[in-house]
Amino acid sequence: MISSQLTGRRLWIAALLVPPIAFMCLFLVYPIMSAFAYAFYEWRGLARGEFVWLANFQRVLFEYPFSERTINAFKHNIFVFFALMVLQNGLGFILAYCLWRELWGARFHRIAVFLPVVLSTVIVGLLWKLFYHPLFGVVNATLRAVGLESLAQPWLGQDSTALTAIVVANAWHMVGFPTLVFLAGMQRIPSEILDAVRMETESEWVKMSKIVWPLVAPSATVVFTLLFVGAFNWFEMPFIMAGVDGSPHGATDVLGLYFYRTAFGSMSASAENFGPGSALAVLIFLFIAVVSSFITIKLRKREIQL
């Protein structure tokens, strides 16, 4: 009787575990392993050619025009990471602190802040394209209404503002996620610590910077690591708002767009080239895996020290 119960329990556990494991292997592990294999071959359209060792990696990193485009896209990803660190995570921490302090309308704002996160990226991208429209967009209309008509400009149509405009749209879309993560960390702070702080100072800045920020270090580790991964995997928002070519003139080109354009073709790269495309995908994967692991380890050590 007992053995039959154990057998039934094991079958039930297996029935729960096997489908998600199979799904992960089919749609995650297999594509990654395929990309690693494809990167070492020459491709003629969809036909695999001869084994070329590291030639595809050399083309992506050192041969013109691949190397120039790789460096350009990589620089843009770095800019996106630091810009979102300030706009998205920085604003998310401030909003979380305001919600945690139960300022006016806190219950409503908890829902309002997170609402854009559940919206489709396609919807958000198209919406912000309309906002940035140079003639009837709400951004330029607002600037004209408040007497700042000189600042109205084609935000997505010029090199100097296009990438920043997309970053702002992405920050608006995702700021609710770090807000709720930070808020959850703040709600775990023991009330005894807060009571002791109130006896020492009434300064909100001191409370936020000296007490709250160090105590939400685990939450910071989560949002910083996820932001890094997201910033160097960035694809949907620039693809929707600027196109696969990173318009204008490559000013919004990032590694995700460059990989897609190289592997599957576009107006500027009409033919598919799976070799360099797969090599670029492998390099992106390795860079994200190594750096995100390093960031996580360093931030975890900081948590222990605190």
Side-chain angles (χ1 to χ4, degrees):
M1 182 67 178
I2 296 177
S3 61
S4 62
Q5 290 179 348
L6 290 175
T7 302
R9 184 178 180 183
R10 289 169 182 170
L11 290 175
W12 175 245
I13 294 174
L16 293 176
L17 292 178
V18 170
I21 292 175
F23 184 87
M24 290 283 290
C25 291
L26 181 62
F27 294 101
L28 184 63
V29 177
Y30 176 72
I32 292 175
M33 294 298 102
S34 298
F36 271 89
Y38 294 165
F40 295 95
Y41 286 89
E42 182 182 0
W43 291 82
R44 302 177 184 89
L46 297 177
R48 188 172 69 180
E50 60 184 14
F51 188 79
V52 293
W53 292 96
L54 300 176
N56 289 321
F57 294 92
Q58 181 179 356
R59 293 179 67 186
V60 168
L61 294 175
F62 302 110
E63 292 185 10
Y64 181 86
F66 290 99
S67 60
E68 182 179 339
R69 294 169 183 170
T70 302
I71 294 173
N72 180 62
F74 183 68
K75 288 180 179 178
H76 291 161
N77 280 102
I78 293 175
F79 172 81
V80 169
F81 171 65
F82 285 103
L84 289 178
M85 181 72 75
V86 176
L87 289 177
Q88 189 171 295
N89 285 0
L91 183 59
F93 178 78
I94 295 173
L95 290 173
Y97 185 80
C98 294
L99 295 174
W100 179 60
R101 296 291 293 160
E102 295 289 342
L103 300 181
W104 180 84
R107 292 185 178 180
F108 166 77
H109 289 107
R110 287 184 185 182
I111 300 174
V113 166
F114 192 74
L115 186 60
V117 178
V118 302
L119 297 177
S120 168
T121 305
V122 176
I123 294 175
V124 174
L126 295 175
L127 179 66
W128 275 88
K129 282 190 73 173
L130 294 176
F131 286 171
Y132 285 131
H133 194 281
L135 298 180
F136 53 81
V138 67
V139 174
N140 283 346
T142 302
L143 291 173
R144 295 187 185 102
V146 298
L148 298 175
E149 187 172 356
S150 61
L151 297 180
Q153 54 194 296
W155 298 96
L156 295 176
Q158 54 189 11
D159 300 358
S160 59
T161 59
L163 187 59
T164 303
I166 300 176
V167 167
V168 170
N170 193 94
W172 178 87
H173 178 35
M174 295 303 298
V175 70
F177 178 76
T179 298
L180 290 192
V181 174
F182 280 126
L183 180 60
M186 293 175 187
Q187 291 175 337
R188 295 172 54 193
I189 298 176
S191 58
E192 295 82 2
I193 296 178
L194 300 177
D195 293 337
V197 173
R198 294 190 188 100
M199 296 176 61
E200 295 294 332
T201 180
E202 292 295 330
S203 172
E204 292 294 334
W205 171 252
V206 173
K207 295 177 185 177
M208 183 171 63
S209 61
K210 302 297 184 182
I211 305 300
V212 176
W213 172 248
L215 291 177
V216 296
S219 300
T221 300
V222 172
V223 297
F224 288 172
T225 304
L226 291 180
L227 176 64
F228 176 82
V229 174
F232 284 88
N233 269 327
W234 214 38
F235 177 80
E236 296 93 341
M237 193 66 77
F239 177 78
I240 295 165
M241 297 185 67
V244 71
D245 292 318
S247 300
H249 311 111
T252 60
D253 199 17
V254 290
L255 290 173
L257 292 178
Y258 178 44
F259 153 73
Y260 181 90
R261 194 167 64 247
T262 302
F264 303 108
S266 68
M267 293 180 63
S268 61
S270 56
E272 301 89 350
N273 202 334
F274 290 140
S278 298
L280 184 61
V282 170
L283 291 173
I284 295 172
F285 172 80
L286 293 176
F287 175 78
I288 292 175
V290 172
V291 178
S292 60
S293 299
F294 175 78
I295 291 174
T296 302
I297 292 172
K298 295 295 289 185
L299 291 178
R300 289 295 185 190
K301 290 183 179 179
R302 174 179 173 272
E303 294 174 21
I304 296 174
Q305 292 172 356
L306 293 173

